[in-house]
Every structure is written in structure tokens, then in C-alpha cells.
Coordinates of all heavy atoms in Angstrom, one line a residue:
M1 N -2.7 -1.6 -8.0 CA -3.3 -2.6 -7.2 C -4.3 -2.0 -6.3 O -5.4 -2.6 -6.0 CB -2.3 -3.4 -6.5 CG -1.4 -4.2 -7.4 SD -0.2 -5.2 -6.6 CE 1.0 -3.9 -6.3
R2 N -4.0 -0.8 -5.7 CA -5.0 -0.2 -4.8 C -6.2 0.2 -5.5 O -7.3 0.3 -5.0 CB -4.3 1.1 -4.2 CG -3.3 0.7 -3.2 CD -2.6 2.0 -2.7 NE -3.6 2.8 -1.9 CZ -3.3 4.0 -1.5 NH1 -2.2 4.5 -1.7 NH2 -4.2 4.6 -0.8
E3 N -6.1 0.5 -6.8 CA -7.3 1.0 -7.6 C -8.1 -0.2 -8.2 O -9.3 0.0 -8.2 CB -6.8 1.9 -8.7 CG -6.2 3.2 -8.2 CD -5.6 4.0 -9.3 OE1 -6.0 3.9 -10.5 OE2 -4.7 4.8 -9.0
Y4 N -7.5 -1.2 -8.7 CA -8.2 -2.2 -9.4 C -8.2 -3.6 -8.7 O -8.9 -4.5 -9.2 CB -7.6 -2.4 -10.8 CG -7.6 -1.1 -11.6 CD1 -6.4 -0.4 -11.9 CD2 -8.8 -0.5 -12.0 CE1 -6.4 0.8 -12.5 CE2 -8.8 0.7 -12.7 CZ -7.6 1.3 -13.0 OH -7.7 2.5 -13.6
G5 N -7.4 -3.7 -7.7 CA -7.3 -5.0 -7.0 C -6.2 -5.8 -7.6 O -5.7 -5.6 -8.7
V6 N -5.8 -6.9 -6.8 CA -4.6 -7.7 -7.2 C -4.8 -8.4 -8.5 O -4.0 -8.4 -9.4 CB -4.3 -8.7 -6.1 CG1 -3.2 -9.6 -6.5 CG2 -3.9 -7.9 -4.8
H7 N -6.0 -9.0 -8.7 CA -6.2 -9.9 -9.9 C -6.3 -9.0 -11.1 O -5.9 -9.5 -12.2 CB -7.4 -10.8 -9.7 CG -7.2 -11.8 -8.7 ND1 -6.3 -12.8 -8.8 CD2 -7.8 -11.9 -7.4 CE1 -6.3 -13.5 -7.7 NE2 -7.2 -13.0 -6.8
A8 N -6.8 -7.8 -11.0 CA -7.0 -7.0 -12.2 C -5.7 -6.2 -12.6 O -5.6 -5.7 -13.7 CB -8.1 -6.0 -12.0
A9 N -4.8 -6.1 -11.7 CA -3.5 -5.4 -12.0 C -2.5 -6.3 -12.6 O -2.0 -7.2 -11.9 CB -3.0 -4.7 -10.7
G10 N -2.2 -6.1 -13.8 CA -1.2 -7.0 -14.5 C 0.2 -6.5 -14.2 O 0.4 -5.3 -13.9
V11 N 1.2 -7.4 -14.3 CA 2.6 -7.0 -14.1 C 3.0 -5.8 -15.1 O 3.6 -4.9 -14.7 CB 3.5 -8.2 -14.3 CG1 5.0 -7.8 -14.3 CG2 3.2 -9.2 -13.2
S12 N 2.5 -5.9 -16.3 CA 2.8 -4.8 -17.3 C 2.3 -3.5 -16.7 O 3.0 -2.4 -16.9 CB 2.2 -5.1 -18.6 OG 2.8 -6.2 -19.2
D13 N 1.1 -3.4 -16.2 CA 0.5 -2.2 -15.6 C 1.4 -1.7 -14.4 O 1.7 -0.5 -14.3 CB -0.9 -2.4 -15.1 CG -1.9 -2.8 -16.2 OD1 -1.7 -2.3 -17.3 OD2 -2.8 -3.6 -15.9
L14 N 1.8 -2.6 -13.6 CA 2.6 -2.3 -12.4 C 4.0 -1.7 -12.9 O 4.5 -0.7 -12.3 CB 2.8 -3.5 -11.6 CG 1.6 -4.1 -11.0 CD1 1.9 -5.4 -10.3 CD2 0.9 -3.2 -10.0
L15 N 4.6 -2.3 -13.9 CA 5.9 -1.9 -14.4 C 5.7 -0.5 -15.0 O 6.6 0.4 -14.8 CB 6.4 -2.8 -15.5 CG 6.8 -4.2 -14.9 CD1 7.1 -5.1 -16.1 CD2 8.0 -4.1 -14.0
E16 N 4.7 -0.2 -15.7 CA 4.4 1.1 -16.4 C 4.3 2.1 -15.3 O 4.9 3.2 -15.4 CB 3.2 1.0 -17.3 CG 3.0 2.3 -18.0 CD 1.8 2.2 -19.0 OE1 1.6 1.1 -19.5 OE2 1.1 3.2 -19.1
R17 N 3.4 1.9 -14.3 CA 3.1 2.9 -13.3 C 4.4 3.2 -12.4 O 4.5 4.3 -11.9 CB 2.1 2.4 -12.3 CG 0.7 2.3 -12.8 CD 0.0 3.6 -12.9 NE -0.8 4.4 -12.1 CZ -1.9 4.2 -11.4 NH1 -2.4 3.0 -11.3 NH2 -2.5 5.2 -10.8
S18 N 5.2 2.2 -12.2 CA 6.4 2.3 -11.3 C 7.7 2.7 -12.1 O 8.7 3.0 -11.5 CB 6.7 1.1 -10.6 OG 7.1 0.0 -11.4
N19 N 7.6 2.8 -13.4 CA 8.8 3.0 -14.3 C 9.9 2.1 -13.9 O 11.1 2.5 -13.8 CB 9.2 4.5 -14.1 CG 8.2 5.5 -14.7 OD1 7.7 5.2 -15.8 ND2 8.0 6.5 -13.9
T20 N 9.6 0.8 -13.8 CA 10.5 -0.2 -13.4 C 10.7 -1.2 -14.6 O 9.8 -1.5 -15.3 CB 10.0 -1.0 -12.2 OG1 9.8 -0.1 -11.1 CG2 11.0 -2.1 -11.7
A21 N 12.0 -1.5 -14.8 CA 12.3 -2.5 -15.8 C 11.8 -3.9 -15.4 O 11.9 -4.3 -14.3 CB 13.8 -2.5 -16.1
R22 N 11.2 -4.6 -16.4 CA 10.7 -6.0 -16.1 C 11.8 -6.9 -15.5 O 11.5 -7.6 -14.5 CB 10.2 -6.6 -17.4 CG 9.6 -8.0 -17.2 CD 9.0 -8.5 -18.5 NE 7.9 -7.7 -19.0 CZ 6.6 -7.8 -18.6 NH1 6.3 -8.7 -17.7 NH2 5.7 -7.0 -19.1
G23 N 13.0 -6.8 -16.0 CA 14.1 -7.6 -15.5 C 14.3 -7.4 -14.0 O 14.6 -8.3 -13.2
S24 N 14.2 -6.1 -13.6 CA 14.5 -5.9 -12.2 C 13.5 -6.4 -11.2 O 13.8 -6.8 -10.1 CB 14.7 -4.4 -11.9 OG 13.5 -3.7 -12.1
I25 N 12.2 -6.5 -11.7 CA 11.2 -7.1 -10.9 C 11.5 -8.5 -10.6 O 11.5 -9.0 -9.5 CB 9.8 -6.9 -11.5 CG1 9.3 -5.5 -11.5 CG2 8.7 -7.8 -10.9 CD1 8.9 -5.0 -10.2
Y26 N 11.8 -9.3 -11.7 CA 12.0 -10.7 -11.5 C 13.4 -11.0 -10.9 O 13.6 -12.0 -10.3 CB 11.9 -11.4 -12.9 CG 10.4 -11.4 -13.3 CD1 10.0 -10.6 -14.3 CD2 9.5 -12.1 -12.6 CE1 8.6 -10.5 -14.7 CE2 8.1 -12.1 -13.0 CZ 7.7 -11.3 -14.0 OH 6.4 -11.2 -14.4
Q27 N 14.3 -10.0 -11.0 CA 15.6 -10.2 -10.3 C 15.4 -10.1 -8.8 O 16.0 -10.9 -8.1 CB 16.6 -9.2 -10.8 CG 17.9 -9.3 -10.1 CD 18.9 -8.2 -10.5 OE1 18.6 -7.4 -11.4 NE2 20.0 -8.1 -9.9
H28 N 14.6 -9.2 -8.4 CA 14.4 -9.0 -6.9 C 13.3 -9.8 -6.4 O 13.2 -10.0 -5.2 CB 14.3 -7.5 -6.6 CG 15.4 -6.7 -7.0 ND1 16.6 -6.7 -6.2 CD2 15.7 -5.8 -8.0 CE1 17.5 -5.9 -6.8 NE2 17.0 -5.3 -7.9
L29 N 12.3 -10.1 -7.2 CA 11.1 -10.8 -6.8 C 10.9 -12.0 -7.7 O 10.1 -12.0 -8.6 CB 9.9 -9.9 -6.8 CG 10.1 -8.6 -6.0 CD1 9.0 -7.6 -6.4 CD2 10.0 -9.0 -4.5
P30 N 11.7 -13.1 -7.6 CA 11.7 -14.2 -8.5 C 10.3 -14.9 -8.7 O 10.0 -15.4 -9.7 CB 12.7 -15.2 -8.0 CG 13.5 -14.5 -6.9 CD 12.7 -13.3 -6.5
A31 N 9.5 -14.8 -7.7 CA 8.2 -15.4 -7.7 C 7.1 -14.5 -8.4 O 6.0 -14.8 -8.5 CB 7.7 -15.8 -6.3
G32 N 7.6 -13.3 -8.9 CA 6.8 -12.5 -9.7 C 5.7 -11.7 -8.9 O 6.0 -11.3 -7.8
K33 N 4.5 -11.7 -9.5 CA 3.4 -10.9 -8.9 C 3.1 -11.4 -7.5 O 2.8 -10.6 -6.6 CB 2.2 -11.0 -9.8 CG 1.1 -10.1 -9.4 CD 0.0 -10.1 -10.5 CE -1.2 -9.5 -10.0 NZ -2.3 -9.5 -11.1
T34 N 3.1 -12.7 -7.3 CA 2.8 -13.2 -6.0 C 3.7 -12.7 -4.9 O 3.3 -12.2 -3.8 CB 2.9 -14.8 -6.0 OG1 1.9 -15.3 -7.0 CG2 2.6 -15.4 -4.6
E35 N 5.0 -12.7 -5.2 CA 6.0 -12.2 -4.2 C 5.9 -10.7 -4.1 O 6.0 -10.1 -3.0 CB 7.4 -12.6 -4.6 CG 8.4 -12.3 -3.6 CD 9.8 -12.8 -3.9 OE1 10.0 -13.4 -5.0 OE2 10.7 -12.6 -3.1
L36 N 5.6 -10.0 -5.2 CA 5.4 -8.6 -5.1 C 4.2 -8.2 -4.2 O 4.3 -7.3 -3.3 CB 5.1 -8.0 -6.5 CG 4.8 -6.5 -6.6 CD1 6.0 -5.7 -6.1 CD2 4.5 -6.2 -8.0
M37 N 3.1 -9.0 -4.3 CA 2.0 -8.7 -3.4 C 2.3 -9.0 -2.0 O 1.9 -8.3 -1.1 CB 0.8 -9.6 -3.9 CG 0.2 -9.4 -5.2 SD -0.7 -7.8 -5.3 CE 0.5 -6.6 -5.1
E38 N 3.1 -10.1 -1.8 CA 3.5 -10.4 -0.4 C 4.3 -9.2 0.2 O 4.0 -8.8 1.3 CB 4.3 -11.7 -0.4 CG 4.8 -12.1 1.0 CD 5.7 -13.3 0.9 OE1 5.6 -14.1 0.0 OE2 6.5 -13.4 1.9
Q39 N 5.3 -8.7 -0.6 CA 6.1 -7.6 -0.1 C 5.3 -6.3 0.1 O 5.5 -5.6 1.0 CB 7.3 -7.5 -1.0 CG 8.3 -8.6 -0.9 CD 8.8 -8.9 0.5 OE1 9.2 -8.0 1.2 NE2 8.7 -10.2 0.8
A40 N 4.4 -6.1 -0.8 CA 3.6 -4.9 -0.7 C 2.7 -4.9 0.5 O 2.5 -3.9 1.2 CB 2.7 -4.7 -2.0
T41 N 2.2 -6.1 0.8 CA 1.3 -6.3 2.0 C 2.1 -6.1 3.3 O 1.7 -5.4 4.2 CB 0.6 -7.6 2.0 OG1 -0.1 -7.8 0.8 CG2 -0.3 -7.8 3.2
L42 N 3.3 -6.6 3.3 CA 4.2 -6.4 4.5 C 4.6 -5.0 4.7 O 4.5 -4.5 5.8 CB 5.5 -7.3 4.3 CG 5.3 -8.8 4.4 CD1 6.5 -9.5 4.0 CD2 4.8 -9.2 5.8
E43 N 4.8 -4.3 3.6 CA 5.2 -2.9 3.6 C 4.0 -2.1 4.1 O 4.1 -1.2 4.9 CB 5.7 -2.3 2.3 CG 6.1 -0.9 2.3 CD 7.2 -0.5 3.3 OE1 7.9 -1.4 3.8 OE2 7.4 0.7 3.6
A44 N 2.8 -2.4 3.6 CA 1.6 -1.7 4.0 C 1.4 -1.9 5.5 O 1.0 -0.9 6.3 CB 0.4 -2.2 3.3
G45 N 1.6 -3.1 6.0 CA 1.5 -3.4 7.5 C 2.5 -2.5 8.3 O 2.2 -2.0 9.3
R46 N 3.7 -2.4 7.8 CA 4.7 -1.6 8.5 C 4.3 -0.1 8.5 O 4.4 0.6 9.5 CB 6.1 -1.7 7.8 CG 6.8 -3.0 8.1 CD 8.2 -3.1 7.6 NE 8.3 -3.2 6.1 CZ 8.4 -4.4 5.5 NH1 8.3 -5.5 6.2 NH2 8.4 -4.5 4.2
I47 N 3.8 0.4 7.4 CA 3.3 1.8 7.3 C 2.2 2.0 8.3 O 2.1 3.0 9.0 CB 2.9 2.2 5.9 CG1 4.2 2.2 5.0 CG2 2.2 3.5 5.8 CD1 3.9 2.3 3.5
I48 N 1.2 1.1 8.3 CA 0.0 1.2 9.2 C 0.5 1.2 10.6 O 0.0 2.0 11.5 CB -1.0 0.2 8.8 CG1 -1.7 0.5 7.5 CG2 -2.1 0.1 10.0 CD1 -2.5 -0.6 6.9
T49 N 1.4 0.2 10.9 CA 1.9 0.1 12.3 C 2.6 1.4 12.7 O 2.3 1.9 13.9 CB 2.8 -1.1 12.4 OG1 2.1 -2.3 12.1 CG2 3.4 -1.2 13.8
S50 N 3.4 1.9 11.9 CA 4.1 3.2 12.2 C 3.1 4.3 12.5 O 3.3 5.1 13.4 CB 5.1 3.5 11.1 OG 5.6 4.8 11.3
R51 N 2.1 4.4 11.6 CA 1.1 5.5 11.8 C 0.4 5.3 13.1 O 0.1 6.3 13.8 CB 0.1 5.5 10.6 CG -0.9 6.6 10.7 CD -0.2 8.0 10.6 NE -1.2 9.0 10.7 CZ -1.0 10.1 11.4 NH1 0.1 10.4 12.0 NH2 -2.0 11.0 11.5
I52 N 0.0 4.1 13.5 CA -0.7 3.9 14.7 C 0.2 4.3 15.9 O -0.2 4.9 16.9 CB -1.3 2.5 14.8 CG1 -2.4 2.3 13.8 CG2 -1.7 2.1 16.2 CD1 -2.9 0.9 13.6
Q53 N 1.5 3.9 15.8 CA 2.4 4.2 16.9 C 2.6 5.7 17.0 O 2.6 6.2 18.1 CB 3.8 3.6 16.6 CG 3.7 2.1 16.8 CD 5.0 1.4 16.3 OE1 5.8 1.9 15.6 NE2 5.2 0.2 16.9
Q54 N 2.6 6.5 15.9 CA 2.7 7.9 15.9 C 1.5 8.5 16.6 O 1.6 9.4 17.4 CB 2.9 8.5 14.5 CG 4.2 8.2 13.8 CD 4.1 8.6 12.4 OE1 3.1 8.9 11.8 NE2 5.3 8.6 11.7
L55 N 0.3 8.0 16.2 CA -0.9 8.5 16.8 C -0.9 8.2 18.3 O -1.4 9.1 19.1 CB -2.1 7.9 16.1 CG -2.3 8.4 14.7 CD1 -3.4 7.5 14.0 CD2 -2.7 9.9 14.6
A56 N -0.5 7.0 18.7 CA -0.5 6.6 20.1 C 0.4 7.5 21.0 O 0.2 7.7 22.1 CB -0.1 5.1 20.2
Q57 N 1.5 8.0 20.4 CA 2.4 8.9 21.1 C 1.8 10.3 21.2 O 2.1 11.0 22.2 CB 3.7 8.9 20.4 CG 4.5 7.6 20.5 CD 5.8 7.7 19.7 OE1 6.1 8.6 19.1 NE2 6.6 6.6 19.8
A58 N 1.0 10.7 20.3 CA 0.5 12.1 20.2 C -0.9 12.2 20.9 O -1.3 13.4 21.2 CB 0.4 12.5 18.8
L59 N -1.7 11.1 21.0 CA -3.1 11.3 21.4 C -3.4 10.4 22.6 O -2.7 9.4 22.8 CB -4.0 10.9 20.2 CG -3.9 11.7 18.9 CD1 -4.7 11.0 17.8 CD2 -4.4 13.1 19.2
P60 N -4.5 10.7 23.3 CA -4.9 9.8 24.3 C -5.4 8.4 23.6 O -5.9 8.5 22.5 CB -6.2 10.5 24.9 CG -6.0 11.9 24.5 CD -5.3 11.9 23.2
A61 N -5.2 7.3 24.3 CA -5.6 6.0 23.7 C -6.9 6.0 23.2 O -7.2 5.3 22.1 CB -5.4 5.0 24.8
A62 N -7.9 6.6 23.8 CA -9.3 6.6 23.3 C -9.5 7.3 22.0 O -10.5 7.0 21.3 CB -10.2 7.2 24.3
D63 N -8.5 8.1 21.6 CA -8.7 8.8 20.3 C -7.9 8.3 19.1 O -8.0 8.7 18.0 CB -8.2 10.3 20.5 CG -9.1 11.0 21.5 OD1 -10.2 10.6 21.7 OD2 -8.6 12.0 22.1
V64 N -7.0 7.3 19.4 CA -6.1 6.7 18.4 C -6.9 6.1 17.2 O -6.6 6.4 16.1 CB -5.1 5.7 19.0 CG1 -4.3 5.0 17.9 CG2 -4.2 6.4 20.0
I65 N -7.8 5.2 17.5 CA -8.6 4.6 16.4 C -9.4 5.6 15.6 O -9.4 5.5 14.4 CB -9.5 3.4 17.0 CG1 -8.6 2.4 17.6 CG2 -10.3 2.8 15.9 CD1 -7.6 1.7 16.7
G66 N -10.0 6.5 16.3 CA -10.8 7.5 15.5 C -9.9 8.3 14.6 O -10.3 8.6 13.5
A67 N -8.7 8.7 15.1 CA -7.8 9.5 14.2 C -7.3 8.6 13.1 O -7.1 9.1 12.0 CB -6.6 10.0 15.1
F68 N -7.0 7.3 13.3 CA -6.6 6.5 12.3 C -7.6 6.3 11.2 O -7.3 6.5 10.0 CB -6.2 5.1 12.8 CG -5.7 4.2 11.7 CD1 -4.4 4.3 11.2 CD2 -6.5 3.2 11.2 CE1 -4.0 3.4 10.2 CE2 -6.1 2.3 10.2 CZ -4.8 2.4 9.7
V69 N -8.9 6.1 11.6 CA -10.0 6.0 10.6 C -10.2 7.3 9.9 O -10.4 7.3 8.7 CB -11.3 5.5 11.4 CG1 -12.5 5.6 10.4 CG2 -11.1 4.1 11.9
A70 N -10.0 8.4 10.5 CA -10.2 9.7 9.9 C -9.1 9.9 8.8 O -9.4 10.4 7.7 CB -10.1 10.8 10.9
G71 N -7.9 9.5 9.1 CA -6.8 9.5 8.1 C -7.1 8.6 6.9 O -6.8 9.0 5.8
W72 N -7.6 7.4 7.2 CA -7.9 6.5 6.1 C -9.0 7.1 5.2 O -8.9 7.0 4.0 CB -8.4 5.2 6.8 CG -8.4 4.0 5.8 CD1 -9.4 3.6 5.0 CD2 -7.3 3.2 5.5 NE1 -9.0 2.5 4.2 CE2 -7.7 2.3 4.5 CE3 -6.0 3.1 6.0 CZ2 -6.8 1.3 4.1 CZ3 -5.1 2.1 5.5 CH2 -5.6 1.2 4.6
K73 N -10.0 7.7 5.8 CA -11.1 8.3 5.1 C -10.5 9.4 4.2 O -10.9 9.5 3.0 CB -12.2 8.9 6.0 CG -13.1 7.9 6.6 CD -14.1 8.6 7.5 CE -15.0 7.6 8.2 NZ -15.9 8.3 9.1
Q74 N -9.6 10.2 4.7 CA -9.0 11.3 4.0 C -8.2 10.7 2.8 O -8.2 11.3 1.7 CB -8.1 12.1 4.8 CG -7.7 13.4 4.2 CD -8.8 14.3 3.8 OE1 -9.7 14.6 4.7 NE2 -8.9 14.7 2.6
N75 N -7.5 9.6 3.0 CA -6.8 9.0 1.8 C -7.8 8.6 0.7 O -7.5 8.8 -0.5 CB -6.1 7.7 2.3 CG -4.8 8.0 3.0 OD1 -4.3 9.1 2.9 ND2 -4.4 7.0 3.8
L76 N -8.9 8.1 1.1 CA -10.0 7.7 0.1 C -10.5 9.0 -0.6 O -10.6 9.0 -1.8 CB -11.1 7.0 0.8 CG -10.8 5.6 1.2 CD1 -11.9 5.0 2.1 CD2 -10.5 4.7 0.1
V77 N -10.8 10.0 0.1 CA -11.3 11.3 -0.5 C -10.2 11.9 -1.4 O -10.5 12.2 -2.5 CB -11.7 12.3 0.6 CG1 -12.0 13.6 0.0 CG2 -12.9 11.7 1.4
D78 N -9.0 11.9 -0.9 CA -7.9 12.5 -1.7 C -7.7 11.8 -3.1 O -7.2 12.4 -4.0 CB -6.6 12.6 -0.9 CG -6.6 13.6 0.2 OD1 -7.6 14.4 0.3 OD2 -5.7 13.5 1.1
S79 N -8.0 10.5 -3.1 CA -7.8 9.7 -4.3 C -9.1 9.5 -5.1 O -9.1 8.7 -6.0 CB -7.2 8.3 -3.9 OG -8.3 7.5 -3.3
S80 N -10.1 10.3 -4.8 CA -11.4 10.2 -5.4 C -11.9 8.8 -5.3 O -12.5 8.2 -6.2 CB -11.4 10.6 -6.8 OG -11.0 12.0 -6.9
F81 N -11.7 8.2 -4.1 CA -12.1 6.8 -3.8 C -11.5 5.7 -4.7 O -12.1 4.7 -4.8 CB -13.6 6.7 -3.7 CG -14.2 7.6 -2.6 CD1 -14.5 8.9 -2.9 CD2 -14.4 7.2 -1.4 CE1 -15.0 9.8 -1.9 CE2 -14.9 8.0 -0.4 CZ -15.2 9.3 -0.6
A82 N -10.4 6.0 -5.3 CA -9.7 5.0 -6.1 C -8.7 4.2 -5.3 O -8.4 3.0 -5.7 CB -9.0 5.7 -7.3
A83 N -8.1 4.8 -4.3 CA -7.1 4.1 -3.5 C -7.7 3.4 -2.3 O -8.1 4.0 -1.4 CB -6.0 5.0 -3.0
G84 N -7.8 2.1 -2.4 CA -8.5 1.3 -1.3 C -7.5 0.7 -0.4 O -6.4 0.8 -0.5

């Protein structure tokens, strides 16, 4: 989904990439791809919030956003700009 976007990522692609059985997805996420996207977005928010909190504890307030953006840029570079 990070590489192709939500609409282009099919459930079959997601299952293959995650080595997850189809039944387990629908057992835990009965609404399918919509619910999966919702949960993935919430988890991404938790990860981003945690990272900002870590930076805020380690850096002066004026440097937090710059450090966060630098980390985001590094994620893009490390993934050859595939992970958005």
C-alpha cells in the first residue's frame, strides 16, 4: 500500500506480502480492506506520534520537526522512493 496506494493494492497482494492466510484477515478484520486500511492508518499514527515524542525528549523543541522530516526523507531514500 505504501508503494502503490490503497486502491492499487489488492487484498491478494497484501496477503502475499504479509504471508497471511486469507481467512485470518477476514476473521480479524470482517470489513476487509476498508478495515485493514483504517487499522493501518491508526497504527501509522501511533508510530509517528511515538517518534515525535522520542525526538521531543532528545532534542530542543525547535529541532524536532526538522529531525522528523529528515527521518522521513531517509525512509524514502532507503526504499528507493517506493515507500510513501
Side-chain angles (χ1 to χ4, degrees):
M1 290 181 283
R2 289 176 65 187
E3 294 175 22
Y4 303 111
V6 172
H7 294 293
V11 173
S12 295
D13 297 325
L14 299 172
L15 293 171
E16 184 178 325
R17 286 285 273 302
S18 66
N19 294 316
T20 303
R22 184 175 295 275
S24 67
I25 289 288
Y26 291 107
Q27 178 182 356
H28 297 287
L29 304 164
K33 187 175 170 182
T34 300
E35 189 173 2
L36 176 62
M37 294 290 67
E38 178 184 338
Q39 293 304 312
T41 301
L42 290 170
E43 181 61 17
R46 286 188 284 271
I47 291 168
I48 290 168
T49 298
S50 174
R51 181 65 182 140
I52 291 171
Q53 289 171 340
Q54 290 171 351
L55 291 169
Q57 291 175 357
L59 299 170
D63 297 336
V64 171
I65 297 300
F68 180 78
V69 170
W72 197 269
K73 286 180 181 179
Q74 191 60 53
N75 285 338
L76 290 170
V77 170
D78 290 348
S79 70
S80 297
F81 297 88

